[in-house]
Amino acid sequence: MAYTGNTLSLTSVAPIEGGWKEWTYVTTDSLSTVKGAGYISDASNRGMEVGDFVKVVNTTTPAYAIYAVASISAGAATLATTAIVLT
């Protein structure tokens, strides 16, 4: 499967002091696929930046994880390899 832009949505924006955004991405792709280099191919066009958070929801497995945007290259985002753990 491949990235589908119409299932990526901006869900919240940090207060003025913050500077990060939170995104939600719903997919049938595995979490390891979504973490692949440059998977989110239209990141710059959508306003995604390094340090933003992406909640990834897999509807097939089901699985859920939160990742930070680790890098953006040529407009495409790569997510961190490790999920953010909430305790």
Side-chain angles (χ1 to χ4, degrees):
M1 194 84 183
Y3 168 72
T4 307
N6 64 354
T7 61
L8 175 70
S9 59
L10 178 62
T11 49
S12 67
V13 178
I16 294 169
E17 299 85 17
W20 52 266
K21 294 180 246 15
E22 181 180 78
W23 303 82
T24 300
Y25 182 61
V26 180
T27 184
T28 57
D29 288 349
S30 69
L31 298 179
S32 60
T33 298
V34 174
K35 292 186 303 183
Y39 180 86
I40 300 175
S41 58
D42 62 350
S44 291
N45 292 342
R46 293 181 168 270
M48 187 178 281
E49 301 177 271
V50 172
D52 286 358
F53 300 103
V54 181
K55 296 183 291 186
V56 179
V57 180
N58 176 297
T59 58
T60 305
T61 306
Y64 171 84
I66 301 172
Y67 297 100
V69 176
S71 66
I72 296 181
S73 177
T78 299
L79 304 181
T81 56
T82 305
I84 296 168
V85 178
L86 305 175
T87 57

